Amino acid sequence: MITFTIDDKKVRAKEGTTVFKVALENGIEIPHLCFHKDMEPYGGCRLCMVEITENGSTRLHPSCAFPVKKNIVVKTDTERLRKGRKIIAELLLARCPDVDSVINLAESLGVKEARFKKMDSDCVLCGQCVRVCRNVAQVGAIDFINRGKNRYVGTPFGLPSDDCIGCGSCHYVCPTGSMNMEYDNVLRWRNLPGTLRKCRYMRMGFIPHKMCPNNYRCWNCELDQRMEDLAKTHPIFILKHAREEEKETIGHFEIRFDRFYHEGHVWMKRLNGLMRLGIDDFARQIIGWVDDMRLPSVGTTFGPGDTLFEIFGNGKKIQFYTSIAGSIVHINPDILDNPKLASMAPYERGWILTIEPLDILRISKELLSGRSAKEWLKHEFNEFHDLVRQETETDLPPEKPIPKGFAKTVADDTWKKIHKSFFITKRKKKKIKLHRIEDIQ
Amino acid sequence: MKIKNMKDLDKVKEIGMKSLFPKGPQIRISMSTCGLALGADDLFQKITREKDKKGIKISLHQTGCSGFCNLEPMAIVKLPGKPALLYTQVTVENVEQIIRDIKKKKIPQKGLFCMIGSDSAAAKPDPVLNAVPDYRDASPFKGQHRMLLGNCGIIDPLSVSEYVAMAGYSGLFKALYQMRPEEVIKEVVESGLRGRGGAWFPTGFKWDMASKSSGDEKFVICNADEGDPGAYKDRTIMEGNPFKLFEGIVLAGYAIGSHHGIIYLREEYHHTFGFLSNAIEIAKRFGLLGKNILGSGFNFALNIVRGGGSYVCGEETALMDSLEGEVGDPRLRPPFPIEKGLWARPTIVNNVETLSNVPLIIQNGGKWYKNIGTEKAKGTKILSVIGNVKHPGLYEIPLGTNLKQVIFEMAGGPVNGKSIKAVQVGSPFGTFIPADKLNVSLDPESLREIGSMIGSGVIVALDQDACIVDILHHLLTFFVEESCGKCVPCREGVSRMEELMIEIYNGRAGMNELDIINELGETARDFSLCALGGGAPAPILNGIKDFKKDFEAHIKTGKCLRFS
Amino acid sequence: MEKERIEKIVNKHRNEKSAILAILHEVQAEDNQLNAESLKYIALLLGVPYANVFGLATFYSAFNTEKRGKTLVRACDGISCHINGAEEVIKVLKSKLNIELGETTWDESFGLEKVRCLGLCSISPNVSFNDKTYSNLNKEKILEILQKVTGDSK
Ligand SMILES: Cc1cc2nc3c(=O)[nH]c(=O)nc-3n(C[C@H](O)[C@H](O)[C@H](O)COP(=O)(O)O)c2cc1C
Ligand code: SF4
Ligand code: FES
């Protein structure tokens, strides 16, 4: 616990929080625009600036990002701050004269009319949509384009985005209501045939498989209502919390504690009696990226030791086997459209198959999880670096992820060795039939 | 060959001495960006052809820029038994005569500017040279203290041996073999060296903090994004004496415990990029970069990264974003780069000039360095004096030199009998100092007292024909174009200042608008995220205050003094 | 540009996202532009969102998402060039090439850009034509150079 002063009041706060949060807890609301409670501070709008006196010198800092420190003196409402905030509000009002939230904000800071030439933008460039799309949804369909006063938020060349998953989080966080990406995409999707109308929650990675029966009128959909009730915010933020809590890195490999692993570098996750699976970070880093796959068709049954699927990338191939028996229930339709997802988001939207295991109770016996998974991955990490050192006589830096082009630079027989020691340790005879993606589509 | 011990270093030194003081005649031509722009490559070819035609043996070398591009193309002619002679503005037409003279062992007269090293033992007095001044007495070199630029334009920048002959790498050798990293830092702290990139932050202090913060890897970034319009000192150092910079970077790496350095070079320097890449390869071949430097067991890798043409990327946190392959938006501080910089590892960012000072400090000791400069600001500063003066160029002066002296004596004062109206020190963020207040000492503290700053050392002299409104408008357009657009006060505020300034420029606005500009400026100064938005208002606010007349002319008549 | 060429460039930089500026520089140097296909493919190879790569290509002024002229004319408008008459020079360039700043001539032989400081301030104004820089310019000199350069390219 730390004590310091805000507006002449002594307050106590936990280490690691920000001045903004502590002020709010103490009933002081500081004006802000670009800050969102579930995202990293951005510090772009500069409305939340406060005067902070530290070691005898007073400076302005954005409270949304400033970490609390012992004995600092914070002033949230001084003449200088009021004046500056007023000017900022005026500038925003001149930019967006017709946006209600900006008009209200300006009014609350005492600005009725801007003295500048009016523009007719409806975006204040707070960057919340860009950040939620890139960092929370991990999609990155929109970004800032150009710089300085020509900056705007959009898609490349202003064309509809193929990456957009229509989650609507950009619209949800936008303080001015200018973000309509999701809606534009929904309009496009309504023209798709019924079998391709993937549910938004499926695209986000919440449910394995669902086609939208409502013509994307989500407000009529029970699932949508339930998700919103459950999350109390945009559901995408649930994913973020889940991701943050359950991941750790072993060397430079990421491990998720909500997954099962088996020695062939496939993760599995239980979903109501089914199992979803995909490649783990180790496989992803070694192959670099995935540009093609061979997969079994839905309904295929398999037994322990069968090769379940194969991925291709960087001119190399990896086979993945299974250690349990079962049958294929779903193939991730997103991955069929875009195999690179498996390497971009291997633990989320890049999942590959859902299977129905023959004996779900055996799973905890067969698969690794928690500590055993951790130890196993540590072992794999060391093995891998040793092997690379021996084979190529170069050191990969142990703290950095493997370069994406690594697989390409590796000679074929080295690759064979890597493959043999990490991926097909227990393979039996190949029994099930695999198809190229084109054949499935 | 790799230099592995003192013996090797001495051997290389000997080779360098031989090439600097050759037995036969020698010509050196300045072939940096400015030389090339003024036809140095033609000159080089012509000399090669001519000497082959005449059949005399002349060793031909390249040099870098000496800081006075208007004197380019420069050539240094060294005849046996004579001091080296500097020729300026050598043209292709002169070449035949020069070669003919050299053949006859005569001293070529045309374009002869000064002597270099006339007091060296090898030189015999020559009556022809009586009237020729020495380098140190010839304006514009007179009055300078060329510690950093001394070798620029004289030695072959790509020759390790010539640099070693000029005492190069003795500092690094000393540090790696006789000093612990803490001692290197102590020496730098003792010297009082402060950053030359603009903020004047104490370098030793920065290194000390970086060496104490923990991380599996640390980075040394050399900021060569020389974005301030009017500055070209970093380019001159890099093209004139790259190994000195490399030595400084390796020293910084040794001091803070880093094994990886990056030079972030601005995009506009096309020639410099190829040149530096070459220099790095050469340094590696000599064992001065890469594994086992100077045989000491210390490893240090150095890369160059080219920017993408954005001024904010000179700001250290934006620079790191750019290096990570992101858009160059400045980051929030804290965390500071010394704790979490590039890839969230402890990182130091230093300017080219700052790092080039370090070898000198280690070589001669912090105490020696402390003797140069003022009480609080030590060492020399390279000023880039441009605008309406007779000899625009780079002037390396001890800190604390008088501004008036620099403008009127060293740079020759205004041209065509005009008078100086104002001088902007530390462009683009510095303020305009009116002609009657030029009697100030050039050091950060004295300039702060009068509300200005020395910045990266760009000094813009304006004569009576210049109009402050025009210059401010120019500066504002620059700031607006280069703002990254992340924060409101700079993106919206400074662009509104520009908008209003255009109105004033065209006589469509009055004093009322000036007040609004003032208000906007104050907000941008206090509320901006980085020093671009924070620094931009200073010259504007000061210009409005001190040069009311220019504004009145615009407001009343809509005419610019510049064209009247 | 062909995919193989892009692949080669990206592989040279070990598919590292951090090398994206260098990759964009090299692709642009070969193709004189960064069009949608190239950017999309670079994004794919690096495993980053396409919008991110596009954002980068538009943030940095060295990159162009449209076709550039074969000869890129970069007129310096730094403070020193400005004081010494860059405006005049730029005006001449604009009227002779018949384009505005940031545009390309109809036959794609010339593109005109403004830069802030080429680092040759004591011999200003400066204009560079691709890698060749001309200094100490005025109205007459730039006309002469233009004549020579346009004569060459036609
Ligand atoms: C807008 C802006 C542009 C800058 N440009 C440069 C630059 O071109 N070169 C430079 O060395 N420092 C530049 N700086 C300063 C750096 O942020 C940083 O202070 C400096 O590199 C630190 O090095 P030093 O301690 O050696 O001065 C710039 C700062 C700002 C705010
Ligand atoms: S002050 Fe300007 S350049 Fe700096 S972060 Fe803000 S918008 Fe970007
Ligand atoms: S809320 Fe802190 S800067 Fe916008």
Side-chain angles (χ1 to χ4, degrees), chain A residues 242-266:
Chain A
R243 270 200 299 269
E244 271 169 8
E245 271 162 29
E246 275 151 4
K247 78 182 180 196
E248 194 176 299
T249 51
I250 306 288
H252 46 79
F253 298 120
E254 184 181 329
I255 186 167
R256 296 284 174 102
F257 293 124
D258 57 341
R259 311 294 156 105
F260 293 103
Y261 287 83
H262 81 66
E263 283 105 339
H265 293 282
V266 172

PDB file of all heavy atoms in Angstrom, chain A residues 242-266:
ATOM      1  N   ALA A 242      -9.483 -14.138 -20.049  1.00  0.00           N
ATOM      2  CA  ALA A 242      -9.129 -15.551 -20.044  1.00  0.00           C
ATOM      3  C   ALA A 242      -7.705 -15.730 -20.534  1.00  0.00           C
ATOM      4  O   ALA A 242      -6.901 -16.440 -19.949  1.00  0.00           O
ATOM      5  CB  ALA A 242     -10.094 -16.320 -20.928  1.00  0.00           C
ATOM      6  N   ARG A 243      -7.372 -15.038 -21.612  1.00  0.00           N
ATOM      7  CA  ARG A 243      -6.032 -15.163 -22.176  1.00  0.00           C
ATOM      8  C   ARG A 243      -4.967 -14.707 -21.200  1.00  0.00           C
ATOM      9  O   ARG A 243      -3.938 -15.337 -21.033  1.00  0.00           O
ATOM     10  CB  ARG A 243      -5.934 -14.306 -23.436  1.00  0.00           C
ATOM     11  CG  ARG A 243      -6.303 -15.034 -24.677  1.00  0.00           C
ATOM     12  CD  ARG A 243      -5.739 -14.319 -25.869  1.00  0.00           C
ATOM     13  NE  ARG A 243      -6.243 -12.972 -26.001  1.00  0.00           N
ATOM     14  CZ  ARG A 243      -7.316 -12.665 -26.704  1.00  0.00           C
ATOM     15  NH1 ARG A 243      -7.992 -13.594 -27.331  1.00  0.00           N
ATOM     16  NH2 ARG A 243      -7.723 -11.424 -26.795  1.00  0.00           N
ATOM     17  N   GLU A 244      -5.270 -13.588 -20.553  1.00  0.00           N
ATOM     18  CA  GLU A 244      -4.246 -13.028 -19.673  1.00  0.00           C
ATOM     19  C   GLU A 244      -3.967 -13.923 -18.492  1.00  0.00           C
ATOM     20  O   GLU A 244      -2.842 -14.080 -18.061  1.00  0.00           O
ATOM     21  CB  GLU A 244      -4.693 -11.672 -19.165  1.00  0.00           C
ATOM     22  CG  GLU A 244      -4.257 -10.571 -20.096  1.00  0.00           C
ATOM     23  CD  GLU A 244      -4.918  -9.271 -19.742  1.00  0.00           C
ATOM     24  OE1 GLU A 244      -5.578  -9.209 -18.695  1.00  0.00           O
ATOM     25  OE2 GLU A 244      -4.775  -8.325 -20.530  1.00  0.00           O
ATOM     26  N   GLU A 245      -5.060 -14.530 -17.961  1.00  0.00           N
ATOM     27  CA  GLU A 245      -4.874 -15.280 -16.737  1.00  0.00           C
ATOM     28  C   GLU A 245      -4.125 -16.575 -16.957  1.00  0.00           C
ATOM     29  O   GLU A 245      -3.446 -17.058 -16.089  1.00  0.00           O
ATOM     30  CB  GLU A 245      -6.228 -15.594 -16.116  1.00  0.00           C
ATOM     31  CG  GLU A 245      -6.650 -14.485 -15.177  1.00  0.00           C
ATOM     32  CD  GLU A 245      -8.132 -14.532 -14.896  1.00  0.00           C
ATOM     33  OE1 GLU A 245      -8.702 -15.629 -14.945  1.00  0.00           O
ATOM     34  OE2 GLU A 245      -8.698 -13.460 -14.651  1.00  0.00           O
ATOM     35  N   GLU A 246      -4.334 -17.149 -18.107  1.00  0.00           N
ATOM     36  CA  GLU A 246      -3.923 -18.527 -18.208  1.00  0.00           C
ATOM     37  C   GLU A 246      -2.707 -18.772 -19.066  1.00  0.00           C
ATOM     38  O   GLU A 246      -2.442 -19.879 -19.453  1.00  0.00           O
ATOM     39  CB  GLU A 246      -5.091 -19.356 -18.713  1.00  0.00           C
ATOM     40  CG  GLU A 246      -5.969 -19.743 -17.545  1.00  0.00           C
ATOM     41  CD  GLU A 246      -7.388 -19.916 -17.977  1.00  0.00           C
ATOM     42  OE1 GLU A 246      -7.637 -19.802 -19.187  1.00  0.00           O
ATOM     43  OE2 GLU A 246      -8.227 -20.147 -17.120  1.00  0.00           O
ATOM     44  N   LYS A 247      -1.982 -17.725 -19.398  1.00  0.00           N
ATOM     45  CA  LYS A 247      -0.829 -18.040 -20.211  1.00  0.00           C
ATOM     46  C   LYS A 247       0.476 -17.734 -19.492  1.00  0.00           C
ATOM     47  O   LYS A 247       0.535 -16.933 -18.580  1.00  0.00           O
ATOM     48  CB  LYS A 247      -0.902 -17.334 -21.551  1.00  0.00           C
ATOM     49  CG  LYS A 247      -0.547 -15.894 -21.548  1.00  0.00           C
ATOM     50  CD  LYS A 247      -0.721 -15.377 -22.961  1.00  0.00           C
ATOM     51  CE  LYS A 247      -0.385 -13.910 -23.036  1.00  0.00           C
ATOM     52  NZ  LYS A 247      -0.902 -13.312 -24.255  1.00  0.00           N
ATOM     53  N   GLU A 248       1.472 -18.416 -19.919  1.00  0.00           N
ATOM     54  CA  GLU A 248       2.789 -18.224 -19.333  1.00  0.00           C
ATOM     55  C   GLU A 248       3.764 -18.593 -20.438  1.00  0.00           C
ATOM     56  O   GLU A 248       3.392 -19.267 -21.393  1.00  0.00           O
ATOM     57  CB  GLU A 248       2.944 -19.167 -18.149  1.00  0.00           C
ATOM     58  CG  GLU A 248       4.118 -18.827 -17.268  1.00  0.00           C
ATOM     59  CD  GLU A 248       4.186 -19.725 -16.054  1.00  0.00           C
ATOM     60  OE1 GLU A 248       3.236 -19.726 -15.255  1.00  0.00           O
ATOM     61  OE2 GLU A 248       5.187 -20.435 -15.925  1.00  0.00           O
ATOM     62  N   THR A 249       5.011 -18.164 -20.313  1.00  0.00           N
ATOM     63  CA  THR A 249       5.943 -18.607 -21.337  1.00  0.00           C
ATOM     64  C   THR A 249       7.034 -19.457 -20.712  1.00  0.00           C
ATOM     65  O   THR A 249       7.513 -19.198 -19.617  1.00  0.00           O
ATOM     66  CB  THR A 249       6.603 -17.427 -22.078  1.00  0.00           C
ATOM     67  OG1 THR A 249       7.122 -16.548 -21.099  1.00  0.00           O
ATOM     68  CG2 THR A 249       5.637 -16.697 -22.956  1.00  0.00           C
ATOM     69  N   ILE A 250       7.375 -20.474 -21.460  1.00  0.00           N
ATOM     70  CA  ILE A 250       8.491 -21.329 -21.080  1.00  0.00           C
ATOM     71  C   ILE A 250       9.557 -21.039 -22.118  1.00  0.00           C
ATOM     72  O   ILE A 250       9.380 -21.372 -23.284  1.00  0.00           O
ATOM     73  CB  ILE A 250       8.110 -22.814 -21.180  1.00  0.00           C
ATOM     74  CG1 ILE A 250       6.836 -23.103 -20.381  1.00  0.00           C
ATOM     75  CG2 ILE A 250       9.268 -23.697 -20.751  1.00  0.00           C
ATOM     76  CD1 ILE A 250       6.996 -23.073 -18.910  1.00  0.00           C
ATOM     77  N   GLY A 251      10.647 -20.421 -21.713  1.00  0.00           N
ATOM     78  CA  GLY A 251      11.600 -19.937 -22.706  1.00  0.00           C
ATOM     79  C   GLY A 251      10.847 -18.935 -23.564  1.00  0.00           C
ATOM     80  O   GLY A 251      10.278 -17.992 -23.048  1.00  0.00           O
ATOM     81  N   HIS A 252      10.785 -19.177 -24.857  1.00  0.00           N
ATOM     82  CA  HIS A 252       9.995 -18.288 -25.687  1.00  0.00           C
ATOM     83  C   HIS A 252       8.721 -18.953 -26.173  1.00  0.00           C
ATOM     84  O   HIS A 252       8.085 -18.487 -27.093  1.00  0.00           O
ATOM     85  CB  HIS A 252      10.824 -17.776 -26.865  1.00  0.00           C
ATOM     86  CG  HIS A 252      11.594 -18.850 -27.554  1.00  0.00           C
ATOM     87  ND1 HIS A 252      11.020 -19.699 -28.443  1.00  0.00           N
ATOM     88  CD2 HIS A 252      12.888 -19.215 -27.435  1.00  0.00           C
ATOM     89  CE1 HIS A 252      11.928 -20.556 -28.858  1.00  0.00           C
ATOM     90  NE2 HIS A 252      13.076 -20.289 -28.265  1.00  0.00           N
ATOM     91  N   PHE A 253       8.361 -20.080 -25.571  1.00  0.00           N
ATOM     92  CA  PHE A 253       7.129 -20.754 -25.988  1.00  0.00           C
ATOM     93  C   PHE A 253       6.010 -20.464 -25.008  1.00  0.00           C
ATOM     94  O   PHE A 253       6.186 -20.544 -23.796  1.00  0.00           O
ATOM     95  CB  PHE A 253       7.342 -22.269 -26.059  1.00  0.00           C
ATOM     96  CG  PHE A 253       8.366 -22.671 -27.069  1.00  0.00           C
ATOM     97  CD1 PHE A 253       9.497 -23.369 -26.690  1.00  0.00           C
ATOM     98  CD2 PHE A 253       8.196 -22.348 -28.411  1.00  0.00           C
ATOM     99  CE1 PHE A 253      10.450 -23.744 -27.620  1.00  0.00           C
ATOM    100  CE2 PHE A 253       9.149 -22.721 -29.342  1.00  0.00           C
ATOM    101  CZ  PHE A 253      10.278 -23.406 -28.949  1.00  0.00           C
ATOM    102  N   GLU A 254       4.853 -20.174 -25.574  1.00  0.00           N
ATOM    103  CA  GLU A 254       3.724 -19.852 -24.733  1.00  0.00           C
ATOM    104  C   GLU A 254       2.990 -21.138 -24.355  1.00  0.00           C
ATOM    105  O   GLU A 254       2.851 -22.036 -25.175  1.00  0.00           O
ATOM    106  CB  GLU A 254       2.796 -18.931 -25.520  1.00  0.00           C
ATOM    107  CG  GLU A 254       1.633 -18.435 -24.744  1.00  0.00           C
ATOM    108  CD  GLU A 254       0.738 -17.558 -25.597  1.00  0.00           C
ATOM    109  OE1 GLU A 254       1.245 -16.881 -26.509  1.00  0.00           O
ATOM    110  OE2 GLU A 254      -0.478 -17.597 -25.354  1.00  0.00           O
ATOM    111  N   ILE A 255       2.557 -21.196 -23.101  1.00  0.00           N
ATOM    112  CA  ILE A 255       1.792 -22.364 -22.681  1.00  0.00           C
ATOM    113  C   ILE A 255       0.502 -21.876 -22.048  1.00  0.00           C
ATOM    114  O   ILE A 255       0.481 -20.857 -21.385  1.00  0.00           O
ATOM    115  CB  ILE A 255       2.626 -23.241 -21.713  1.00  0.00           C
ATOM    116  CG1 ILE A 255       1.883 -24.523 -21.389  1.00  0.00           C
ATOM    117  CG2 ILE A 255       2.992 -22.512 -20.462  1.00  0.00           C
ATOM    118  CD1 ILE A 255       2.775 -25.555 -20.718  1.00  0.00           C
ATOM    119  N   ARG A 256      -0.596 -22.580 -22.296  1.00  0.00           N
ATOM    120  CA  ARG A 256      -1.889 -22.193 -21.740  1.00  0.00           C
ATOM    121  C   ARG A 256      -2.310 -23.229 -20.734  1.00  0.00           C
ATOM    122  O   ARG A 256      -2.320 -24.423 -21.030  1.00  0.00           O
ATOM    123  CB  ARG A 256      -2.948 -22.137 -22.854  1.00  0.00           C
ATOM    124  CG  ARG A 256      -2.695 -21.106 -23.908  1.00  0.00           C
ATOM    125  CD  ARG A 256      -3.032 -19.733 -23.378  1.00  0.00           C
ATOM    126  NE  ARG A 256      -2.657 -18.736 -24.342  1.00  0.00           N
ATOM    127  CZ  ARG A 256      -3.521 -18.123 -25.156  1.00  0.00           C
ATOM    128  NH1 ARG A 256      -4.788 -18.442 -25.138  1.00  0.00           N
ATOM    129  NH2 ARG A 256      -3.105 -17.214 -25.987  1.00  0.00           N
ATOM    130  N   PHE A 257      -2.714 -22.758 -19.565  1.00  0.00           N
ATOM    131  CA  PHE A 257      -3.039 -23.725 -18.527  1.00  0.00           C
ATOM    132  C   PHE A 257      -4.475 -24.205 -18.589  1.00  0.00           C
ATOM    133  O   PHE A 257      -4.889 -25.040 -17.807  1.00  0.00           O
ATOM    134  CB  PHE A 257      -2.687 -23.160 -17.164  1.00  0.00           C
ATOM    135  CG  PHE A 257      -1.205 -23.010 -17.020  1.00  0.00           C
ATOM    136  CD1 PHE A 257      -0.630 -21.801 -16.701  1.00  0.00           C
ATOM    137  CD2 PHE A 257      -0.386 -24.106 -17.261  1.00  0.00           C
ATOM    138  CE1 PHE A 257       0.751 -21.680 -16.608  1.00  0.00           C
ATOM    139  CE2 PHE A 257       0.987 -23.979 -17.163  1.00  0.00           C
ATOM    140  CZ  PHE A 257       1.562 -22.761 -16.849  1.00  0.00           C
ATOM    141  N   ASP A 258      -5.244 -23.652 -19.526  1.00  0.00           N
ATOM    142  CA  ASP A 258      -6.587 -24.188 -19.658  1.00  0.00           C
ATOM    143  C   ASP A 258      -6.646 -25.263 -20.749  1.00  0.00           C
ATOM    144  O   ASP A 258      -7.696 -25.651 -21.190  1.00  0.00           O
ATOM    145  CB  ASP A 258      -7.568 -23.063 -19.982  1.00  0.00           C
ATOM    146  CG  ASP A 258      -7.192 -22.313 -21.235  1.00  0.00           C
ATOM    147  OD1 ASP A 258      -6.016 -22.409 -21.647  1.00  0.00           O
ATOM    148  OD2 ASP A 258      -8.051 -21.643 -21.819  1.00  0.00           O
ATOM    149  N   ARG A 259      -5.468 -25.704 -21.189  1.00  0.00           N
ATOM    150  CA  ARG A 259      -5.455 -26.704 -22.274  1.00  0.00           C
ATOM    151  C   ARG A 259      -4.777 -27.981 -21.806  1.00  0.00           C
ATOM    152  O   ARG A 259      -3.938 -27.978 -20.912  1.00  0.00           O
ATOM    153  CB  ARG A 259      -4.673 -26.191 -23.494  1.00  0.00           C
ATOM    154  CG  ARG A 259      -5.019 -24.818 -23.967  1.00  0.00           C
ATOM    155  CD  ARG A 259      -6.404 -24.738 -24.507  1.00  0.00           C
ATOM    156  NE  ARG A 259      -6.879 -23.370 -24.427  1.00  0.00           N
ATOM    157  CZ  ARG A 259      -6.973 -22.562 -25.478  1.00  0.00           C
ATOM    158  NH1 ARG A 259      -6.664 -22.984 -26.672  1.00  0.00           N
ATOM    159  NH2 ARG A 259      -7.426 -21.331 -25.326  1.00  0.00           N
ATOM    160  N   PHE A 260      -5.114 -29.042 -22.513  1.00  0.00           N
ATOM    161  CA  PHE A 260      -4.343 -30.273 -22.402  1.00  0.00           C
ATOM    162  C   PHE A 260      -3.350 -30.302 -23.550  1.00  0.00           C
ATOM    163  O   PHE A 260      -3.634 -29.767 -24.617  1.00  0.00           O
ATOM    164  CB  PHE A 260      -5.256 -31.493 -22.536  1.00  0.00           C
ATOM    165  CG  PHE A 260      -6.216 -31.639 -21.406  1.00  0.00           C
ATOM    166  CD1 PHE A 260      -7.539 -31.297 -21.556  1.00  0.00           C
ATOM    167  CD2 PHE A 260      -5.777 -32.135 -20.191  1.00  0.00           C
ATOM    168  CE1 PHE A 260      -8.431 -31.436 -20.512  1.00  0.00           C
ATOM    169  CE2 PHE A 260      -6.667 -32.278 -19.142  1.00  0.00           C
ATOM    170  CZ  PHE A 260      -7.994 -31.926 -19.298  1.00  0.00           C
ATOM    171  N   TYR A 261      -2.243 -30.952 -23.322  1.00  0.00           N
ATOM    172  CA  TYR A 261      -1.265 -31.090 -24.409  1.00  0.00           C
ATOM    173  C   TYR A 261      -0.951 -32.557 -24.594  1.00  0.00           C
ATOM    174  O   TYR A 261      -1.074 -33.352 -23.667  1.00  0.00           O
ATOM    175  CB  TYR A 261       0.035 -30.372 -24.045  1.00  0.00           C
ATOM    176  CG  TYR A 261      -0.068 -28.872 -24.110  1.00  0.00           C
ATOM    177  CD1 TYR A 261      -0.588 -28.153 -23.044  1.00  0.00           C
ATOM    178  CD2 TYR A 261       0.360 -28.174 -25.232  1.00  0.00           C
ATOM    179  CE1 TYR A 261      -0.699 -26.782 -23.096  1.00  0.00           C
ATOM    180  CE2 TYR A 261       0.263 -26.802 -25.291  1.00  0.00           C
ATOM    181  CZ  TYR A 261      -0.275 -26.106 -24.221  1.00  0.00           C
ATOM    182  OH  TYR A 261      -0.368 -24.751 -24.282  1.00  0.00           O
ATOM    183  N   HIS A 262      -0.559 -32.934 -25.788  1.00  0.00           N
ATOM    184  CA  HIS A 262       0.112 -34.220 -25.839  1.00  0.00           C
ATOM    185  C   HIS A 262       1.406 -34.100 -26.610  1.00  0.00           C
ATOM    186  O   HIS A 262       1.632 -33.103 -27.298  1.00  0.00           O
ATOM    187  CB  HIS A 262      -0.811 -35.333 -26.330  1.00  0.00           C
ATOM    188  CG  HIS A 262      -0.991 -35.428 -27.798  1.00  0.00           C
ATOM    189  ND1 HIS A 262       0.029 -35.774 -28.632  1.00  0.00           N
ATOM    190  CD2 HIS A 262      -2.077 -35.256 -28.560  1.00  0.00           C
ATOM    191  CE1 HIS A 262      -0.429 -35.781 -29.853  1.00  0.00           C
ATOM    192  NE2 HIS A 262      -1.699 -35.463 -29.851  1.00  0.00           N
ATOM    193  N   GLU A 263       2.241 -35.109 -26.520  1.00  0.00           N
ATOM    194  CA  GLU A 263       3.631 -34.950 -26.917  1.00  0.00           C
ATOM    195  C   GLU A 263       3.838 -34.603 -28.378  1.00  0.00           C
ATOM    196  O   GLU A 263       4.921 -34.231 -28.782  1.00  0.00           O
ATOM    197  CB  GLU A 263       4.454 -36.201 -26.582  1.00  0.00           C
ATOM    198  CG  GLU A 263       4.805 -36.323 -25.122  1.00  0.00           C
ATOM    199  CD  GLU A 263       3.961 -37.385 -24.447  1.00  0.00           C
ATOM    200  OE1 GLU A 263       2.887 -37.712 -24.989  1.00  0.00           O
ATOM    201  OE2 GLU A 263       4.371 -37.865 -23.375  1.00  0.00           O
ATOM    202  N   GLY A 264       2.805 -34.741 -29.170  1.00  0.00           N
ATOM    203  CA  GLY A 264       2.958 -34.380 -30.576  1.00  0.00           C
ATOM    204  C   GLY A 264       2.676 -32.907 -30.834  1.00  0.00           C
ATOM    205  O   GLY A 264       2.481 -32.498 -31.971  1.00  0.00           O
ATOM    206  N   HIS A 265       2.650 -32.092 -29.769  1.00  0.00           N
ATOM    207  CA  HIS A 265       2.440 -30.657 -29.884  1.00  0.00           C
ATOM    208  C   HIS A 265       1.083 -30.271 -30.441  1.00  0.00           C
ATOM    209  O   HIS A 265       0.970 -29.400 -31.293  1.00  0.00           O
ATOM    210  CB  HIS A 265       3.592 -30.005 -30.663  1.00  0.00           C
ATOM    211  CG  HIS A 265       4.868 -30.069 -29.903  1.00  0.00           C
ATOM    212  ND1 HIS A 265       5.137 -29.221 -28.862  1.00  0.00           N
ATOM    213  CD2 HIS A 265       5.892 -30.943 -29.959  1.00  0.00           C
ATOM    214  CE1 HIS A 265       6.297 -29.560 -28.332  1.00  0.00           C
ATOM    215  NE2 HIS A 265       6.777 -30.605 -28.973  1.00  0.00           N
ATOM    216  N   VAL A 266       0.097 -30.964 -29.934  1.00  0.00           N
ATOM    217  CA  VAL A 266      -1.285 -30.574 -30.216  1.00  0.00           C
ATOM    218  C   VAL A 266      -1.900 -30.195 -28.881  1.00  0.00           C
ATOM    219  O   VAL A 266      -1.680 -30.873 -27.886  1.00  0.00           O
ATOM    220  CB  VAL A 266      -2.061 -31.770 -30.823  1.00  0.00           C
ATOM    221  CG1 VAL A 266      -3.540 -31.438 -30.928  1.00  0.00           C
ATOM    222  CG2 VAL A 266      -1.491 -32.121 -32.178  1.00  0.00           C
TER     223      VAL A 266
END
